[in-house]
Amino acid sequence: MLILLPPSESKAAPRRRGTPVDLATLSAPELAETREAILTELMKVSAEPDAADVLGVSSGRLAEVRRNVDLDRLPRAPTMKVYAGVLYDALDFATLSAAARRRAGRSLRVQSALWGPVGPADLIAPYRLSMATTLPRLGSLARLWRGVLDPVMAKLAGSGVIVDCRSASYAAAWQPSGEAVRRSVSIRVFTEAAGRRTVVSHLAKHTRGLVARALLEAPRAPRTVADVATVLEQHWRAELVDLGRRGFALDLIEEP
């Protein structure tokens, strides 16, 4: 099983002192060149007067942009201590059982716009960068990652089920191909009132965090799309939708 999560916009502030990120130690070291290119460009862009516009950041987030300038010196921390916010609060990684944390080490990856796919044990620094960004000298980040991720993600997924909890901009960086398409399932979250379904972004993030937790804590790791549906049907009203050449979607219906 491979569970894919989006990063959070909110990130824990770095410690005052500590060892900076070592790209060579991150999982999927074959991505080091791409990571280095993005890191270097992000630091340069963040030092420019128009950095907030380039990065699509509001004036209230300028301190996070300025912090990008020092990314090669910021203290690193485990992935699950860097990402914060609704999804990660719901996942509540620190309270997972020991068995679930071991499964997460094998099966859980966060699709970062800067660091690429990172697991719970990876040591990263907080940053401000969205996958929807186009950097001046590198172009679209989604396109850049799409050009290098396929062999890495195929290796991570192996022959198991792929559970996609990413938002659209991060899903654009990689999609399963070939026979893996029919082993993939996207998690979609709706509320329903008077027979009408609505997507609520904040609720969807919370639910996807709970989905990841439920799959990690399941007595047996799901191996197929049907297994994923069976686990999640214990917690939600769920409908499995066959999308043909786009794999499957599992629609989870929450009360409004």
Side-chain angles (χ1 to χ4, degrees):
M1 176 174 63
L2 175 62
I3 303 172
L4 297 174
L5 298 181
S8 59
E9 289 190 10
S10 301
K11 299 174 184 71
R15 295 172 295 168
R16 290 181 179 271
R17 297 179 181 178
T19 304
V21 174
D22 180 355
L23 296 179
T25 67
L26 296 181
S27 56
E30 58 268 46
L31 297 174
E33 183 176 344
T34 302
R35 288 164 169 155
E36 178 68 38
I38 297 173
L39 176 62
T40 300
E41 178 70 353
L42 178 59
M43 292 169 60
K44 289 179 180 177
V45 166
S46 298
E48 298 295 330
D50 63 346
D53 291 336
V54 173
L55 298 178
V57 176
S58 67
S59 58
R61 299 286 189 176
L62 289 179
E64 296 174 14
V65 173
R66 288 193 290 270
R67 190 171 66 194
N68 282 345
V69 176
D70 298 316
L71 267 168
D72 61 346
R73 297 191 295 273
L74 288 180
R76 63 189 184 180
T79 295
M80 292 300 159
K81 291 187 177 181
V82 170
Y83 293 118
V86 175
L87 188 154
Y88 291 89
D89 287 346
L91 171 58
D92 200 5
F93 187 84
T95 66
L96 289 173
S97 66
R101 289 196 298 273
R102 287 193 296 271
R103 184 179 294 170
R106 299 186 299 269
S107 303
L108 186 68
R109 292 297 181 270
V110 179
Q111 182 71 71
S112 165
L114 172 58
W115 309 118
V118 288
D122 282 312
L123 300 174
I124 62 174
Y127 60 94
R128 186 71 189 197
L129 182 67
S130 165
M131 189 66 81
T133 303
T134 297
L135 292 175
R137 284 169 285 272
L138 294 179
S140 162
L141 289 178
R143 185 182 302 116
L144 179 64
W145 281 114
R146 199 159 53 240
V148 297
L149 279 180
D150 200 56
V152 172
M153 302 303 280
K155 181 178 178 181
L156 284 171
S159 60
V161 64
I162 301 165
V163 184
D164 195 348
C165 295
R166 297 172 298 171
S167 53
S169 61
Y170 287 89
W174 178 76
Q175 286 292 317
S177 59
E179 57 84 25
V181 171
R182 299 298 292 172
R183 293 188 281 108
S184 67
V185 57
S186 300
I187 303 300
R188 306 191 301 197
V189 183
F190 300 90
T191 59
E192 185 173 276
R196 182 175 180 179
R197 292 183 181 178
T198 306
V199 176
V200 182
S201 177
H202 185 84
L203 177 62
K205 292 177 182 178
H206 181 265
T207 300
R208 285 170 177 148
L210 295 178
V211 163
R213 186 179 181 90
L215 295 173
L216 293 172
E217 290 282 15
R220 298 181 63 182
R223 301 183 65 181
T224 67
V225 170
D227 290 345
V228 171
T230 297
V231 170
L232 298 184
E233 283 169 352
Q234 299 174 40
H235 304 275
W236 291 274
R237 180 178 148 208
E239 297 178 5
L240 188 61
V241 181
D242 190 333
L243 302 176
R245 287 181 289 181
R246 292 185 292 127
F248 293 86
L250 189 61
D251 292 349
L252 304 181
I253 317 302
E254 293 272 18
E255 295 297 325

